[in-house]
């Protein structure tokens, strides 16, 4: 069974930093595409950052460009989201996902971790 567990969320002041982790079990990450999403109360889920087949194949939402960095560590079978210069509008539940192709594309999700940016 594939399982993703997010961690690292919490309460930070504006301008602060957090590193979110997504530990994957039941699957070797390899070069599978990975994505971070977030969802704020009353809002639709938003794609935050994506890492494709290669380390250079990254994309970010305009609102987080220059502040967030997505990465993977295959030795630890984990995905990370480094978040710097946090703003109040970054407050949301953050989810990680991994896309896997067997006979078709599947997407696996974690349960999310809460990030709150407030004074």
């Amino acid at each position: 069974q594939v399982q993703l567990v997010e961690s690292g969320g919490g309460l930070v002041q504006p301008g602060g930093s957090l590193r979110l982790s997504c530990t994957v079990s039941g699957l070797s990450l390899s070069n599978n595409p990975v994505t971070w999403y977030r969802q704020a109360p009353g809002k639709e889920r938003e794609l935050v950052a994506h890492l494709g087949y290669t380390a250079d194949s990254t994309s970010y939402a305009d609102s987080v460009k220059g502040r967030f960095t997505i990465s993977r560590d295959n030795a630890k079978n984990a995905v990370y989201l480094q978040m710097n210069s946090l703003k109040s509008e970054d407050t949301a539940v953050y989810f990680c996902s991994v896309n896997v192709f067997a006979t078709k594309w599947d997407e696996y999700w974690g349960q999310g971790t809460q990030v709150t940016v407030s004074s």
Side-chain angles (χ1 to χ4, degrees), residues 7-50:
S7 63
L11 174 64
V12 296
Q13 293 184 335
S17 297
L18 284 174
R19 189 181 76 158
L20 305 184
S21 299
C22 176
T23 301
V24 180
S25 61
L27 170 73
S28 294
L29 272 180
S30 185
N31 291 325
N32 292 320
V34 295
T35 310
W36 284 96
Y37 298 87
R38 68 186 181 188
Q39 188 165 22
K43 296 184 178 180
E44 296 293 324
R45 186 178 62 198
E46 174 188 22
L47 190 152
V48 176
H50 176 79

Side-chain angles (χ1 to χ4, degrees), residues 10-16 18 83 85-92 94 114-119:
L11 174 64
V12 296
Q13 293 184 335
L18 284 174
M83 306 185 297
S85 302
L86 284 162
K87 306 173 181 179
S88 60
E89 52 262 43
D90 296 318
T91 296
Y94 284 72
Q114 176 71 49
V115 172
T116 303
V117 185
S118 177
S119 299

Side-chain angles (χ1 to χ4, degrees), residues 88-111:
S88 60
E89 52 262 43
D90 296 318
T91 296
V93 177
Y94 284 72
F95 302 88
C96 66
S97 72
V98 179
N99 292 99
V100 182
F101 184 84
T103 58
K104 59 180 178 62
W105 280 106
D106 291 317
E107 187 169 26
Y108 299 92
W109 293 81
Q111 296 298 308

Side-chain angles (χ1 to χ4, degrees), residues 3 10 36 39 51 54 65 68 76 79 81 100 107 110 117:
Q3 185 175 6
W36 284 96
Q39 188 165 22
L51 178 59
T54 68
K65 284 182 179 178
F68 290 11
K76 297 181 178 179
V79 184
L81 184 68
V100 182
E107 187 169 26
V117 185

